[in-house]
């Protein structure tokens, strides 16, 4: 039986009055403000749920939406998608859905939503229809474009993305990227190559979020997928080096083929591990379990936060509270940029180990923690401390180097939310309590649950001097077909990039990078060595180097042609993504393996 939590009008009034009284009594400082940055159409921390609805024969769409808002979700990213047990996860019709009524309800609940097309198509005609439907719906903030595009699909998806941006600059389109285990044929190279390809194709200035998924809990109980943190670090780094883009990620809230059902501790771990890397938006995969479809046609989805018929699981109440706590920390989280996520204990491959000279150190070098160093838009320093343990709780002692000028920490302590807020228009959560953490004898002690994250402000004006980093060149060394547009970026503020394309060592007298540079020419094969340095004052980095072979594009018969694929038994299918969803209209030189793609008997990909 599904359990319902209702906060009465009297309870809501008491909660509001208590919040105001606590703020007045404690004299808390307001959270740091979020500075405007393009495109910046959202300044709130957003939490969504991918599949958010179960069958409306159980509970109406409107009542389920109220339940989502009560659970702390403030972004309905797929309002038409619902679990349809016994068949597949289904979609309502975008053309007949009552968007005006949904917009009114969303305003009453203080939530936002995305506009989608029928069957998540991104044809020009469907994009135009979606933009027209969005119209003046004030709670509609985004357009869902594509889930997990392959490298070959990125040009077409980026084109659709830009069509949305151009047609409606006031709302943001968004795309969710593959994880690294999608394989080279989908990624087109390394995971970093793939992420940078998307940023370059869409344009960093156009991106509201760099969104991705990677699910950590395989059937190997008590462990995390070895490549998980490598992906999270890649997304953090690529975003940071492209103007400190906002990032978003998907949590793992359930079980499916090859993946275990998370415990409540692991569910908390999944969300907070993303926060520790600076994520500004979370989507739970999934809030409602997708319908179970037997492999190979489907992924064998099991329980998530709610089952596919709306029953609560053990993750429901804990994740409701964590959603509200995260939103309460949201103004601070949105005002900081995570420059490093340092691991203690065993640092996973592809991550940064805690430097020995960092201003905070665990007393026990084997402690399984992440120290995230964050720079505030207000000029301050911030720290997130995350426990990588998967179960239980543990006490940690952390030593502090007070010679750096650091005098203490201030912990942003969220409320327990034993009684959940009542969602409403204009709801303002109380600011988190600011708890001083002094250094007694140069250290402090903290008790952390498995997967818990604590957010601190570093007090005392400590300065951290970081080495100037070399620029990043969009194209790694290798062979490319046809003229290439090469971009460069420097992760450090106040730097200028100088480059050469003839292999010589660049100096401040070399060409200064101001815009993408064209390398090679169609109709000929040529060789180029691109070198780039970053300069800031008297500081000069080592050069970044990319050796490029530009092949003759005129003989590439595949380029720009319409794609047609079929399965091994001759059933026509589209160009599929990793989980079998979505198609692309054309490819250039992408790879597709019909023997490893799942399709149903009618040739349509399964969920």
């Amino acid at each position: 039986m599904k359990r319902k939590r209702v906060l009465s009008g009297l309870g809501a009034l008491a909660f509001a009055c208590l919040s105001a009284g606590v703020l007045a009594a404690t004299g808390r400082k307001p959270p740091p403000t979020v500075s405007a940055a393009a495109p910046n159409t959202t300044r709130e921390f957003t939490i969504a749920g991918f599949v958010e609805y179960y069958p409306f024969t159980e509970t109406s769409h409107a009542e389920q939406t109220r339940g989502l808002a009560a659970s702390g979700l403030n972004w309905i990213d797929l309002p038409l998608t619902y679990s349809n047990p016994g068949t597949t996860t289904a979609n309502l019709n975008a053309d007949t859905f009552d968007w005006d009524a949904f917009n009114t309800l969303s305003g009453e609940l203080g939530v936002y939503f995305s506009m989608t097309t029928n069957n998540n198509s991104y044809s020009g005609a469907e994009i135009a229809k979606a933009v027209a439907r969005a119209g003046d719906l004030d709670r509609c903030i985004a357009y869902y474009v594509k889930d997990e595009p392959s490298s070959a699909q990125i040009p077409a998806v980026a084109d659709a993305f830009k069509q949305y941006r151009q047609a409606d600059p006031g709302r943001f389109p968004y795309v969710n990227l593959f994880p690294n285990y999608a394989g080279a044929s989908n990624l087109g190279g390394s995971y970093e190559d793939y992420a940078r390809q998307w940023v370059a194709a869409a344009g960093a200035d156009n991106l509201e979020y760099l969104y991705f998924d990677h699910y950590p809990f395989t059937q190997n109980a008590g462990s995390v997928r070895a490549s998980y943190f490598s992906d999270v670090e890649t997304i953090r780094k690529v975003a940071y080096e492209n103007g400190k883009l906002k990032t978003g990620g998907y949590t793992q809230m359930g079980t499916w083929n090859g993946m275990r059902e998370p415990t409540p501790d692991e569910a908390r771990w999944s969300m907070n591990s993303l926060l520790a890397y600076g994520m500004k938006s979370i989507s739970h995969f999934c809030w409602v379990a997708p319908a179970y479809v037997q492999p190979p046609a489907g992924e064998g989805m099991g329980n998530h936060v709610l089952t596919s018929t709306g029953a609560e699981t053990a993750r429901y109440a804990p994740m409701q509270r964590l959603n509200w706590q995260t939103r309460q920390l949201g103004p601070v989280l949105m005002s900081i940029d995570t420059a490093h996520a340092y691991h203690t204990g065993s640092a996973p491959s592809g991550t940064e180990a805690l430097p020995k000279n960092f201003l905070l150190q665990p007393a026990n070098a084997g402690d399984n923690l992440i120290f995230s160093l964050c720079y505030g838009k207000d000029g301050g320093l911030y720290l997130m401390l995350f426990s990588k343990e998967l179960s239980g709780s543990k006490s940690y002692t952390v030593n502090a180097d007070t010679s750096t000028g650091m005098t203490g920490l201030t912990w942003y302590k969220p409320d327990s939310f034993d009684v959940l807020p009542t969602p409403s228009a204009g709801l303002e959560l109380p600011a988190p309590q600011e708890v001083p953490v002094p250094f007694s004898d140069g250290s402090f002690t903290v008790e952390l649950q498995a997967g818990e994250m604590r957010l601190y402000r570093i007090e005392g004006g400590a300065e951290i001097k970081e080495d100037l980093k070399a620029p990043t060149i969009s194209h790694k060394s290798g062979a490319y077909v046809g003229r290439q547009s090469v971009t460069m970026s420097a992760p450090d503020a106040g730097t200028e990039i100088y480059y050469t394309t003839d292999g010589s060592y660049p100096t401040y007298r070399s060409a200064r990078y101001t815009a993408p540079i064209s390398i090679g020419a169609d109709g000929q094969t040529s060789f180029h060595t691109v070198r780039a340095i970053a300069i800031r004052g008297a500081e000069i980095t080592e050069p970044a180097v990319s050796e490029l072979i530009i092949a003759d594009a005129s003989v590439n018969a595949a380029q720009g042609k319409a794609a047609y694929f079929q399965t091994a038994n001759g059933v026509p299918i589209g160009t599929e993504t990793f989980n079998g969803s979505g198609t692309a209209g054309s490819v250039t030189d992408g790879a597709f393996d019909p023997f490893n793609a799942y399709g149903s008997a009618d040739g349509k990909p399964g969920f």
Side-chain angles (χ1 to χ4, degrees):
M1 178 179 294
K2 296 189 286 292
R3 174 172 52 85
K4 297 182 179 179
R5 180 187 297 271
V6 178
L7 185 61
S8 69
L10 182 60
L13 178 61
F15 179 85
C17 293
L18 175 62
S19 301
V22 169
L23 285 170
T26 59
R28 297 181 197 165
K29 300 175 184 177
T33 57
V34 181
S35 61
N40 196 39
T41 52
T42 57
R43 296 190 182 188
E44 295 181 43
F45 194 103
T46 53
I47 303 177
F50 201 71
V51 178
E52 292 147 321
Y53 295 95
Y54 49 91
F56 308 121
T57 53
E58 299 280 338
T59 310
S60 71
H61 190 281
E63 285 306 304
Q64 288 191 51
T65 302
R66 294 184 187 278
L68 294 171
S71 295
L73 278 68
N74 62 345
W75 180 18
I76 312 300
D77 60 345
L78 291 177
L80 305 182
T81 301
Y82 66 99
S83 180
N84 188 7
T87 54
T88 61
T89 296
N91 292 327
L92 298 174
N93 189 311
D95 295 326
T96 59
F97 183 71
D98 193 339
W99 291 103
D100 288 325
F102 186 62
N103 187 72
T104 299
L105 177 61
S106 297
E108 293 173 359
L109 298 174
V111 302
Y112 304 103
F113 64 87
S114 304
M115 179 59 64
T116 58
T117 60
N118 281 319
N119 300 317
N120 298 323
S121 167
Y122 48 91
S123 70
E126 288 295 330
I127 290 172
K129 287 170 64 177
V131 171
R133 277 195 301 269
D136 59 356
L137 301 177
D138 62 303
R139 305 307 295 180
C140 177
I141 59 170
Y143 295 99
Y144 172 83
V145 182
K146 186 82 173 79
D147 183 45
E148 297 182 332
S150 68
S151 175
Q153 292 172 337
I154 280 180
V157 175
D159 180 66
F161 181 95
K162 290 175 180 176
Q163 287 184 54
Y164 275 118
R165 240 327 161 200
Q166 184 174 9
D168 189 355
R171 297 183 174 101
F172 64 89
Y174 64 101
V175 167
N176 176 49
L177 298 183
F178 267 128
N180 63 22
Y181 49 84
S185 63
N186 279 308
L187 302 179
S190 71
Y191 191 66
E192 185 170 336
D193 293 336
Y194 171 69
R196 291 191 186 280
Q197 181 192 3
W198 169 244
V199 173
D205 290 342
N206 291 323
L207 287 168
E208 179 84 18
Y209 296 105
L210 184 59
Y211 230 104
F212 84 114
D213 63 33
H214 187 128
Y215 303 112
F217 305 125
T218 66
Q219 293 297 339
N220 297 321
S223 66
V224 173
R225 194 193 296 264
S227 58
Y228 173 74
F229 281 116
S230 174
D231 269 18
V232 187
E233 168 62 18
T234 294
I235 293 296
R236 185 210 62 78
K237 181 174 73 170
V238 171
Y240 197 84
E241 293 176 1
N242 281 276
K244 299 180 176 64
L245 293 172
K246 290 186 288 189
T247 54
Y250 285 76
T251 63
Q252 181 181 336
M253 289 292 122
T255 177
W256 60 94
N257 190 31
M259 310 301 290
R260 70 179 183 266
E261 183 170 345
T263 66
D265 281 348
E266 289 174 335
R268 177 174 58 246
W269 190 103
S270 184
M271 185 165 184
N272 283 333
S273 65
L274 296 174
L275 299 184
Y277 272 81
M279 301 289 157
K280 303 292 190 288
S281 179
I282 295 292
S283 185
H284 296 302
F285 187 86
C286 293
W287 194 255
V288 171
Y292 177 83
V293 180
Q294 177 72 33
E299 295 179 274
M301 291 286 180
N303 292 337
H304 285 61
V305 179
L306 296 177
T307 70
S308 60
T309 56
E312 298 171 7
T313 67
R315 290 171 291 285
Y316 183 65
M319 291 310 298
Q320 284 183 306
R321 286 193 294 272
L322 186 55
N323 287 340
W324 284 109
Q325 288 172 332
T326 303
R327 284 179 58 185
Q328 188 183 30
L329 294 174
V332 186
L333 293 170
M334 297 296 284
S335 72
I336 60 179
D337 296 302
T338 302
H340 300 281
Y342 294 127
H343 289 249
T344 67
S346 177
S349 175
T351 66
E352 294 186 281
L354 185 72
K356 293 182 179 179
N357 64 346
F358 190 64
L359 70 177
L360 294 163
Q361 298 284 333
N364 180 356
D367 285 343
N368 208 15
L369 298 167
I370 292 178
F371 288 76
S372 296
L373 175 64
C374 310
Y375 292 99
K377 300 182 190 303
D378 60 359
L381 285 177
Y382 294 79
L383 174 78
M384 285 186 279
L385 187 62
F386 170 70
S387 168
K388 292 188 286 180
E389 299 292 340
L390 294 175
S391 62
S393 62
K394 185 176 178 180
S395 179
Y396 300 92
T397 298
V398 179
N399 296 327
D401 182 2
T402 56
S403 68
T404 61
M406 178 176 56
T407 58
L409 302 174
T410 297
W411 172 29
Y412 293 98
K413 181 182 179 181
D415 293 342
S416 64
F417 287 112
D418 293 325
V419 176
L420 301 180
T422 297
S424 61
L427 172 67
E428 292 188 13
L429 297 175
Q433 185 180 355
E434 296 189 14
V435 180
V437 181
F439 300 146
S440 176
D441 298 323
S443 67
F444 69 96
T445 300
V446 58
E447 181 86 15
L448 295 177
Q449 293 180 295
E452 183 179 353
M453 185 278 291
R454 293 200 179 185
L455 173 60
Y456 301 93
R457 185 176 66 243
I458 298 174
E459 306 291 359
E463 292 188 10
I464 296 177
K465 183 68 173 178
E466 298 195 49
D467 293 335
L468 199 64
K469 299 178 183 64
T472 297
I473 301 174
S474 60
H475 291 51
K476 72 174 185 177
S477 295
Y480 298 85
V481 177
R483 185 189 305 271
Q484 299 294 304
S485 179
V486 176
T487 61
M488 304 177 192
S489 60
D492 300 297
T495 60
E496 291 186 332
I497 299 173
Y498 293 85
Y499 69 92
T500 61
T501 58
D502 60 1
S504 61
Y505 195 98
T507 70
Y508 68 91
R509 288 192 172 93
S510 302
R512 185 166 70 89
Y513 178 79
T514 58
I517 58 174
S518 180
I519 300 292
D522 294 332
Q524 65 182 52
T525 297
S526 55
F527 304 86
H528 309 266
T529 298
V530 180
R531 297 181 188 271
I533 58 173
I535 296 178
R536 183 175 61 189
E539 296 179 271
I540 303 176
T541 69
E542 290 295 315
V545 182
S546 181
E547 296 180 331
L548 307 177
I549 301 172
I550 306 300
D552 181 0
S554 64
V555 297
N556 180 13
Q559 200 163 39
K561 295 296 182 66
Y564 176 82
F565 298 106
Q566 62 184 30
T567 61
N569 61 2
V571 177
I573 54 176
T575 309
E576 295 183 279
T577 62
F578 178 58
N579 67 1
S581 62
T583 61
S586 64
V587 295
T588 52
D589 282 321
F592 179 76
D593 182 359
F595 294 94
N596 293 322
Y598 293 142
S600 61
D602 62 1
K604 295 179 181 179
F607 181 79

